[in-house]
Short mmCIF file of all heavy atoms in Angstrom, two decimals:
data_model
loop_
_atom_site.label_atom_id
_atom_site.label_comp_id
_atom_site.label_asym_id
_atom_site.label_seq_id
_atom_site.Cartn_x
_atom_site.Cartn_y
_atom_site.Cartn_z
N ALA A 1 46.27 -14.52 -3.21
CA ALA A 1 45.88 -13.87 -4.44
C ALA A 1 44.36 -13.55 -4.42
O ALA A 1 43.62 -14.48 -4.16
CB ALA A 1 46.28 -14.74 -5.70
N ILE A 2 44.02 -12.34 -4.78
CA ILE A 2 42.65 -12.04 -4.85
C ILE A 2 42.28 -11.84 -6.31
O ILE A 2 42.93 -10.96 -7.00
CB ILE A 2 42.26 -10.61 -4.13
CG1 ILE A 2 42.74 -10.74 -2.69
CG2 ILE A 2 40.73 -10.36 -4.20
CD1 ILE A 2 42.06 -11.67 -1.79
N ILE A 3 41.45 -12.71 -6.92
CA ILE A 3 41.20 -12.61 -8.31
C ILE A 3 39.66 -12.59 -8.69
O ILE A 3 38.83 -12.78 -7.76
CB ILE A 3 41.80 -13.89 -9.01
CG1 ILE A 3 41.13 -15.19 -8.48
CG2 ILE A 3 43.35 -13.91 -8.81
CD1 ILE A 3 41.52 -16.43 -9.25
N LYS A 4 39.35 -12.45 -9.97
CA LYS A 4 38.00 -12.50 -10.34
C LYS A 4 37.60 -13.94 -10.32
O LYS A 4 38.33 -14.91 -10.59
CB LYS A 4 37.79 -11.85 -11.76
CG LYS A 4 38.14 -10.31 -11.78
CD LYS A 4 37.97 -9.88 -13.17
CE LYS A 4 37.98 -8.35 -13.17
NZ LYS A 4 37.68 -7.73 -14.55
N PRO A 5 36.27 -14.13 -9.94
CA PRO A 5 35.86 -15.57 -9.82
C PRO A 5 35.96 -16.51 -11.03
O PRO A 5 36.36 -17.58 -10.91
CB PRO A 5 34.38 -15.41 -9.32
CG PRO A 5 34.31 -14.05 -8.75
CD PRO A 5 35.31 -13.21 -9.47
N PHE A 6 35.73 -15.87 -12.22
CA PHE A 6 35.75 -16.71 -13.45
C PHE A 6 37.10 -17.10 -13.85
O PHE A 6 37.31 -17.87 -14.75
CB PHE A 6 34.97 -16.07 -14.56
CG PHE A 6 35.59 -14.69 -15.03
CD1 PHE A 6 36.57 -14.72 -16.10
CD2 PHE A 6 35.22 -13.53 -14.50
CE1 PHE A 6 37.12 -13.55 -16.51
CE2 PHE A 6 35.80 -12.33 -14.96
CZ PHE A 6 36.69 -12.33 -16.04
N LYS A 7 38.24 -16.58 -13.12
CA LYS A 7 39.49 -16.84 -13.47
C LYS A 7 40.15 -17.95 -12.68
O LYS A 7 41.24 -18.43 -12.77
CB LYS A 7 40.40 -15.58 -13.39
CG LYS A 7 40.22 -14.65 -14.46
CD LYS A 7 40.76 -15.23 -15.80
CE LYS A 7 40.89 -14.18 -16.81
NZ LYS A 7 41.50 -14.67 -18.00
N LEU A 8 39.31 -18.50 -11.78
CA LEU A 8 39.84 -19.56 -10.80
C LEU A 8 40.38 -20.73 -11.46
O LEU A 8 41.53 -21.21 -11.18
CB LEU A 8 38.72 -19.93 -9.72
CG LEU A 8 39.10 -21.05 -8.79
CD1 LEU A 8 40.30 -20.67 -7.97
CD2 LEU A 8 37.91 -21.37 -7.93
N ASP A 9 39.68 -21.36 -12.41
CA ASP A 9 40.23 -22.62 -13.04
C ASP A 9 41.40 -22.36 -13.86
O ASP A 9 42.35 -23.17 -13.75
CB ASP A 9 39.00 -23.12 -13.98
CG ASP A 9 37.95 -23.75 -13.26
OD1 ASP A 9 38.16 -24.17 -12.09
OD2 ASP A 9 36.78 -23.88 -13.79
N GLU A 10 41.54 -21.21 -14.51
CA GLU A 10 42.71 -20.88 -15.23
C GLU A 10 43.98 -20.75 -14.31
O GLU A 10 45.02 -21.28 -14.61
CB GLU A 10 42.53 -19.63 -15.98
CG GLU A 10 41.67 -19.78 -17.18
CD GLU A 10 41.45 -18.42 -17.90
OE1 GLU A 10 42.46 -17.72 -18.27
OE2 GLU A 10 40.26 -18.05 -18.12
N VAL A 11 43.75 -20.11 -13.17
CA VAL A 11 44.80 -19.96 -12.20
C VAL A 11 45.19 -21.25 -11.62
O VAL A 11 46.42 -21.56 -11.47
CB VAL A 11 44.44 -18.97 -11.07
CG1 VAL A 11 45.40 -18.91 -9.96
CG2 VAL A 11 44.26 -17.50 -11.68
N ARG A 12 44.23 -22.10 -11.18
CA ARG A 12 44.55 -23.46 -10.70
C ARG A 12 45.36 -24.25 -11.59
O ARG A 12 46.31 -24.88 -11.30
CB ARG A 12 43.20 -24.15 -10.28
CG ARG A 12 43.46 -25.45 -9.62
CD ARG A 12 42.24 -26.26 -9.41
NE ARG A 12 41.41 -26.46 -10.60
CZ ARG A 12 41.66 -27.23 -11.61
NH1 ARG A 12 42.64 -28.05 -11.56
NH2 ARG A 12 40.90 -27.35 -12.72
N GLU A 13 44.97 -24.23 -12.91
CA GLU A 13 45.65 -24.95 -13.93
C GLU A 13 47.09 -24.46 -14.14
O GLU A 13 48.09 -25.26 -14.27
CB GLU A 13 44.92 -24.93 -15.21
CG GLU A 13 43.64 -25.76 -15.20
CD GLU A 13 42.75 -25.68 -16.45
OE1 GLU A 13 43.32 -25.15 -17.45
OE2 GLU A 13 41.60 -26.05 -16.44
N ALA A 14 47.19 -23.19 -14.15
CA ALA A 14 48.62 -22.60 -14.26
C ALA A 14 49.52 -22.97 -13.09
O ALA A 14 50.69 -23.18 -13.27
CB ALA A 14 48.44 -21.01 -14.39
N LEU A 15 48.99 -22.91 -11.93
CA LEU A 15 49.79 -23.31 -10.70
C LEU A 15 50.03 -24.85 -10.77
O LEU A 15 51.21 -25.27 -10.42
CB LEU A 15 49.00 -22.98 -9.47
CG LEU A 15 48.95 -21.50 -9.11
CD1 LEU A 15 48.04 -21.25 -7.95
CD2 LEU A 15 50.30 -20.86 -8.83
N SER A 16 49.14 -25.57 -11.16
CA SER A 16 49.39 -27.04 -11.32
C SER A 16 50.49 -27.34 -12.32
O SER A 16 51.31 -28.28 -12.12
CB SER A 16 48.09 -27.75 -11.68
OG SER A 16 48.22 -29.13 -11.81
N GLU A 17 50.51 -26.60 -13.40
CA GLU A 17 51.59 -26.74 -14.48
C GLU A 17 52.96 -26.51 -13.94
O GLU A 17 53.89 -27.15 -14.40
CB GLU A 17 51.27 -25.96 -15.62
CG GLU A 17 50.09 -26.40 -16.45
CD GLU A 17 49.81 -25.38 -17.62
OE1 GLU A 17 50.57 -24.50 -17.88
OE2 GLU A 17 48.73 -25.62 -18.20
N ILE A 18 53.06 -25.69 -12.91
CA ILE A 18 54.40 -25.47 -12.39
C ILE A 18 54.72 -26.18 -11.07
O ILE A 18 55.68 -25.97 -10.42
CB ILE A 18 54.68 -23.94 -12.14
CG1 ILE A 18 53.78 -23.37 -11.05
CG2 ILE A 18 54.61 -23.14 -13.41
CD1 ILE A 18 54.12 -21.97 -10.53
N GLY A 19 53.86 -27.16 -10.84
CA GLY A 19 54.08 -28.10 -9.68
C GLY A 19 53.49 -27.77 -8.39
O GLY A 19 53.75 -28.40 -7.38
N ILE A 20 52.60 -26.73 -8.31
CA ILE A 20 51.92 -26.39 -7.10
C ILE A 20 50.61 -27.04 -7.03
O ILE A 20 49.78 -26.81 -7.88
CB ILE A 20 51.87 -24.85 -6.99
CG1 ILE A 20 53.22 -24.19 -6.95
CG2 ILE A 20 51.02 -24.43 -5.74
CD1 ILE A 20 53.27 -22.76 -6.94
N THR A 21 50.42 -27.96 -6.15
CA THR A 21 49.24 -28.80 -6.16
C THR A 21 48.25 -28.44 -4.96
O THR A 21 47.08 -28.69 -5.05
CB THR A 21 49.56 -30.34 -6.01
OG1 THR A 21 50.37 -30.46 -4.88
CG2 THR A 21 50.32 -30.73 -7.24
N GLY A 22 48.78 -27.90 -3.98
CA GLY A 22 47.93 -27.55 -2.77
C GLY A 22 47.54 -26.02 -2.73
O GLY A 22 48.46 -25.26 -2.85
N LEU A 23 46.30 -25.84 -2.57
CA LEU A 23 45.90 -24.47 -2.47
C LEU A 23 44.54 -24.33 -1.66
O LEU A 23 43.88 -25.46 -1.53
CB LEU A 23 45.77 -23.69 -3.77
CG LEU A 23 44.84 -24.30 -4.83
CD1 LEU A 23 43.46 -23.75 -4.75
CD2 LEU A 23 45.46 -23.95 -6.19
N THR A 24 44.32 -23.24 -1.17
CA THR A 24 42.99 -22.99 -0.42
C THR A 24 42.26 -21.89 -1.06
O THR A 24 42.93 -20.91 -1.48
CB THR A 24 43.27 -22.70 1.00
OG1 THR A 24 44.00 -23.68 1.74
CG2 THR A 24 41.91 -22.47 1.83
N VAL A 25 40.96 -22.14 -1.30
CA VAL A 25 40.15 -21.14 -2.01
C VAL A 25 39.04 -20.69 -1.14
O VAL A 25 38.43 -21.56 -0.49
CB VAL A 25 39.64 -21.73 -3.35
CG1 VAL A 25 38.69 -20.72 -4.12
CG2 VAL A 25 40.74 -22.15 -4.18
N ALA A 26 38.74 -19.43 -1.18
CA ALA A 26 37.63 -18.89 -0.37
C ALA A 26 36.89 -17.81 -1.27
O ALA A 26 37.56 -17.02 -1.92
CB ALA A 26 38.03 -18.24 1.01
#
């Protein structure tokens, strides 16, 4: 996923809520 930088925390929290805990960010 390519997203706007200021949306990172919201996306991480949304993924965490559905049980996805591992991700790589660049």
Side-chain angles (χ1 to χ4, degrees):
I2 309 295
I3 63 169
K4 292 183 175 184
F6 65 89
K7 287 293 194 172
L8 176 59
D9 287 336
E10 291 176 51
V11 170
R12 184 188 50 80
E13 288 173 14
L15 290 170
S16 181
E17 286 175 9
I18 63 168
I20 296 172
T21 55
L23 55 91
T24 302
V25 176

